[in-house]
Amino acid sequence: MGKINASHSSYCYDSMLKRSDDKYLRSCSRIEPIDDPNEDDYDDDDDDDDGEDEHEQQSQRTRPAVWRQEKLVEELGHRASGVLDDERETKTIRYDLPEILERIDENRLMYRAEGNANIVLSLSDNKHVLRMRKSTVECREGKADSNVDLRRFVKYSQVIASQFSPCYVPAPKLAHLNTYNLQAFNERLRCFRPAMRLGKEIRELDGILYPDVAFLPKWLYPARVRDLSQDSKISSTPTTTHYQTYCVEIKPKQGWLAYEFCDNIPLPPEPLSNGGGDLRKCRYCLHQYLKLQKKSIAKISKYCPLDLYSGKPVRVLQAVKGLIGAPQNNFKILKNGKVVYDDKREKSMFNRILREMFPRDGRTKDERSTIFMNLIKEILLKDFTTNDEHCDRKLLSIKKDRKKKDKNQLHERACIPVNQQFLPQSCALRQILDVQLLVKSSISTIDPSKLNKSRSDPYSYIDEMYEKYLTYQEDALYDGRGTSRTTWPNGSFCAEYLSEEEQYQLGATALDCSIMITFRRLSGAEESSLTDAARNHIVSIDGMKFIVNVTITDLDPKSHKHYAKYVEQLASSAVAYRDFISKLRR
């Protein structure tokens, strides 16, 4: 981790704006800067700019959608004016498309993390992160292979965000990377990136800008601290607060059993457990054996997503413990915006972080670990619409692993199905699971050929889905039922307006999303000056109080290839598991 040091004189950027931005400026030439944050942006999905006739055709195609957005905002009036609360500046309404002219100088960027499709770069102001699409290195001399129109991506973000409470999903903005030499920029990034990810790099200058959820938003700070800065975020430094800010990233993965829809999946037919009956594994647990077979992991994780989604405190603790023990790409801890624990660091680093979280308190290593796991459990299950700051949670503990006995139990145990009723409806886990279940309800009946109808444009379905979303909002305004259908939960949108194929695409997004849990210790003096809204974000545990925030991220649209890859990977994972068990029992 560290800052990317790049020094360029001013003439470099003038040249860059003339060269590397030329295509970008052409594509945005029809979009005027907007002074009023509540006024709708004019948006166009086409980047082609071959002449005035084509320009006019594009304008005609987009005017109906823009007009409909304008009418919606006009009808909604104050209800669509932008924020849930006067101080919640990051919780903006999602009806209007954001400005496109946000430019980011490469000198302001630091490497944060990356997945298979995106690199995440944090800005030096500790307020935002920039997500950049990646392409294979082989495409270096040609066009990038990401094939994603980011303005279309922003449209999709409005649709998927409607499936969650507004407090969980920040609104994105389109941004443009200002760099004189993109290849040199990629080279500077290499030393921070994992070796397994170097087959891809940034080939497009456009990206998506989000609030940096590794820090708490300004409205969650006491008034006296907020007054020290006019910025929309305040980083945790000794000048603003005594305590450090931590962020835990969890990729929960699929929360329902794989075998429930795939009768063709070759699960081991013979009973493997002492109790008899077929062994049932979830998708994540099956996939562990395929990863082990390919040697992309060294050991099988004890984490099971079904434990996390169960809502039962002891099972949730067991899931968090499994993530800590084998983070892989599913668990990270950040301190003041920098990753301090993940799969590349020793377990001793985790214990060191716990000593920093709970300093000079006389607790043992195991006691600190128990407090941490209980804190994460409470945040994951928390209802942020209620105030339970005075309810000090009782610490629960789980038994230590007995390595020899538990080793075989890990491989032969069944994943216990989830009962949604144990999850509070408004907690982040419940809302993610509800969206994931769109896949389960549609996957056995969808027509794969319909998913492949636009192979040349794998994200074309977003345009039609977005039109249906606008229609849905119009109907919500004029059908006599007020605005209840424009706020979460709005399952009727999926059931009444989307095809089964569209429901699958929407649900697939939630299969790989992330939960960002941000928190810091709260002193008694600070608590007295918090707003009522901020008090809903207090968690009390073992005599300590924490101010917390939860964000759901990585809500990316999936291409038409997702279905085929999903089924193929599940089948391969089941075969790998069967082979592993066969060898284990010899």
Side-chain angles (χ1 to χ4, degrees):
M1 297 296 300
K3 186 169 182 177
I4 304 167
N5 294 316
S7 177
H8 298 282
S9 55
S10 59
Y11 77 88
C12 291
Y13 293 102
D14 292 335
S15 177
M16 175 276 301
L17 288 173
K18 185 175 179 62
R19 298 174 185 174
S20 66
D21 280 4
D22 188 52
K23 177 182 175 182
Y24 177 82
L25 291 172
R26 285 201 307 271
S27 69
C28 297
S29 61
R30 297 182 295 275
I31 304 173
E32 298 296 331
I34 295 177
D35 294 325
D36 184 356
N38 295 323
E39 184 179 345
D40 287 303
D41 269 340
Y42 179 91
D43 191 64
D44 188 3
D45 286 329
D46 257 308
D47 287 329
D48 196 6
D49 191 18
D50 293 330
E52 291 298 327
D53 292 339
E54 177 65 15
H55 172 86
E56 180 62 25
Q57 292 172 9
Q58 293 168 345
S59 300
Q60 293 290 345
R61 284 197 296 268
T62 56
R63 280 171 187 161
V66 175
W67 178 83
R68 294 167 72 188
Q69 282 187 316
E70 291 172 348
K71 294 298 291 182
L72 282 169
V73 175
E74 180 182 348
E75 290 290 338
L76 285 170
H78 178 69
R79 291 187 297 261
S81 61
V83 293
L84 300 174
D85 183 276
D86 289 341
E87 294 181 292
R88 298 194 181 193
E89 69 277 2
T90 62
K91 313 300 183 183
T92 55
I93 205 74
R94 306 177 184 94
Y95 299 135
D96 40 5
L97 296 178
E99 293 185 22
I100 306 227
L101 302 180
E102 188 82 23
R103 298 183 180 277
I104 308 297
D105 179 8
E106 65 176 304
N107 290 315
R108 299 171 60 195
L109 296 171
M110 296 179 288
Y111 179 84
R112 170 69 63 81
E114 67 183 286
N116 183 53
N118 299 279
I119 290 180
V120 180
L121 306 169
S122 63
L123 273 68
S124 55
D125 58 7
N126 291 335
K127 292 191 293 183
H128 298 89
V129 293
L130 179 66
R131 296 184 69 207
M132 305 291 292
R133 297 289 294 185
K134 298 190 296 185
S135 298
T136 54
V137 174
E138 287 75 12
C139 296
R140 183 175 294 175
E141 301 302 326
K143 187 176 180 180
D145 62 356
S146 60
N147 199 24
V148 178
D149 183 331
L150 293 182
R151 287 168 295 173
R152 182 183 279 167
F153 179 102
V154 175
K155 287 183 177 181
Y156 182 80
S157 72
Q158 296 182 38
V159 180
I160 188 65
S162 70
Q163 301 302 299
F164 301 95
S165 295
C167 66
Y168 290 131
V169 185
K173 296 177 67 176
L174 289 178
H176 186 69
L177 173 63
N178 284 349
T179 177
Y180 179 65
N181 188 328
L182 182 58
Q183 191 52 44
F185 182 74
N186 275 306
E187 289 300 320
R188 286 193 292 275
L189 285 176
R190 286 180 66 88
C191 63
F192 304 105
R193 300 177 58 198
M196 62 177 289
R197 301 291 189 185
L198 295 179
K200 293 184 178 182
E201 62 186 11
I202 298 171
R203 299 310 310 159
E204 291 282 354
L205 297 177
D206 296 339
I208 304 289
L209 196 66
Y210 288 98
D212 189 349
V213 295
F215 297 93
L216 292 169
K218 177 183 175 182
W219 66 273
L220 283 178
Y221 279 81
R224 63 179 180 79
V225 177
R226 282 185 272 128
D227 292 341
L228 296 177
S229 172
Q230 298 301 315
D231 293 335
S232 60
K233 284 275 189 76
I234 301 177
S235 60
S236 266
T237 63
T239 60
T240 58
T241 178
H242 175 69
Y243 300 110
Q244 308 292 341
T245 300
Y246 295 91
C247 180
V248 173
E249 178 183 356
I250 293 176
K251 278 189 173 293
K253 296 298 184 179
Q254 181 173 303
W256 43 276
L257 286 169
Y259 77 91
E260 293 179 345
F261 72 91
C262 284
D263 296 331
N264 300 337
I265 296 301
L267 286 170
E270 68 275 8
L272 297 173
S273 61
N274 295 332
D278 291 340
L279 181 64
R280 306 302 188 186
K281 287 280 189 182
C282 71
R283 178 193 175 204
Y284 176 85
C285 290
L286 282 175
H287 193 211
Q288 286 288 294
Y289 294 90
L290 182 60
K291 286 184 173 182
L292 188 68
Q293 187 181 80
K294 294 181 176 180
K295 298 182 179 180
S296 60
I297 60 173
K299 64 178 181 178
I300 300 296
S301 172
K302 294 181 181 179
Y303 167 66
C304 176
L306 271 60
D307 288 337
L308 193 72
Y309 287 106
S310 70
K312 295 186 175 181
V314 174
R315 288 185 65 186
V316 175
L317 284 179
Q318 194 68 50
V320 175
K321 183 178 180 180
L323 287 167
I324 295 169
Q328 296 185 16
N329 195 39
N330 305 306
F331 183 84
K332 293 185 179 72
I333 300 179
L334 295 86
K335 175 184 175 183
N336 295 335
K338 295 183 179 181
V339 178
V340 291
Y341 182 69
D342 58 8
D343 59 344
K344 304 173 194 63
R345 292 164 173 82
E346 297 293 331
K347 182 67 179 295
S348 59
M349 181 58 70
F350 173 72
N351 295 324
R352 177 180 174 182
I353 295 166
L354 293 187
R355 288 197 300 270
E356 295 175 356
M357 284 186 187
F358 314 114
R360 299 184 300 278
D361 52 17
R363 296 181 176 93
T364 66
K365 178 180 69 174
D366 290 341
E367 288 172 340
R368 291 191 185 102
S369 181
T370 297
I371 294 172
F372 174 79
M373 291 189 295
N374 275 266
L375 176 62
I376 299 302
K377 179 256 298 180
E378 290 297 329
I379 298 173
L380 286 171
L381 301 178
K382 181 170 174 54
D383 178 355
F384 286 97
T385 64
T386 61
N387 185 331
D388 54 3
E389 60 179 303
H390 300 299
C391 182
D392 195 76
R393 302 298 183 182
K394 180 181 178 181
L395 289 180
L396 298 178
S397 59
I398 50 181
K399 295 180 180 179
K400 286 187 176 182
D401 294 336
R402 291 171 293 179
K403 293 186 178 179
K404 283 190 175 181
K405 183 177 179 180
D406 290 346
K407 184 176 181 181
N408 288 337
Q409 285 183 348
L410 171 65
H411 304 305
E412 298 190 358
R413 74 179 183 185
C415 298
I416 304 173
V418 169
N419 185 337
Q420 290 172 265
Q421 302 306 315
F422 289 105
L423 279 173
Q425 189 176 47
S426 61
C427 77
L429 285 174
R430 173 64 182 272
Q431 296 191 20
I432 292 172
L433 182 59
D434 285 344
V435 180
Q436 287 186 358
L437 290 174
L438 291 173
V439 172
K440 180 181 177 182
S441 62
S442 61
I443 196 169
S444 59
T445 56
I446 61 176
D447 182 357
S449 64
K450 291 183 179 180
L451 294 175
N452 297 333
K453 64 182 180 181
S454 300
R455 291 181 179 272
S456 60
D457 189 359
Y459 298 93
S460 60
Y461 70 90
I462 294 176
D463 297 332
E464 186 173 353
M465 186 183 290
Y466 184 68
E467 284 291 325
K468 291 180 178 180
Y469 176 62
L470 293 180
T471 300
Y472 166 78
Q473 293 183 75
E474 289 176 350
D475 294 345
L477 289 172
Y478 300 116
D479 66 1
R481 286 183 279 178
T483 60
S484 61
R485 295 172 62 193
T486 65
T487 56
W488 184 90
N490 58 2
S492 61
F493 166 61
C494 296
E496 299 175 14
Y497 291 78
L498 299 184
S499 67
E500 290 178 330
E501 291 75 24
E502 289 170 327
Q503 289 182 46
Y504 173 86
Q505 295 290 159
L506 203 64
T509 292
L511 295 178
D512 294 313
C513 69
S514 296
I515 302 176
M516 308 295 286
I517 302 169
T518 314
F519 62 93
R520 69 177 182 85
R521 288 277 293 275
L522 189 66
S523 68
E526 290 178 308
E527 183 181 354
S528 61
S529 58
L530 288 175
T531 64
D532 290 340
R535 289 177 182 276
N536 290 346
H537 286 248
I538 295 178
V539 171
S540 301
I541 190 165
D542 198 39
M544 295 174 287
K545 290 190 176 182
F546 297 84
I547 190 79
V548 306
N549 197 43
V550 173
T551 312
I552 300 172
T553 63
D554 297 340
L555 295 172
D556 298 341
K558 303 298 182 182
S559 78
H560 67 279
K561 299 178 182 179
H562 186 275
Y563 172 82
K565 180 180 178 182
Y566 179 95
V567 174
E568 178 184 354
Q569 186 187 82
L570 186 55
S572 299
S573 299
V575 170
Y577 173 68
R578 181 187 59 190
D579 293 344
F580 180 91
I581 290 294
S582 297
K583 294 177 182 178
L584 184 68
R585 302 180 73 194
R586 288 175 187 169

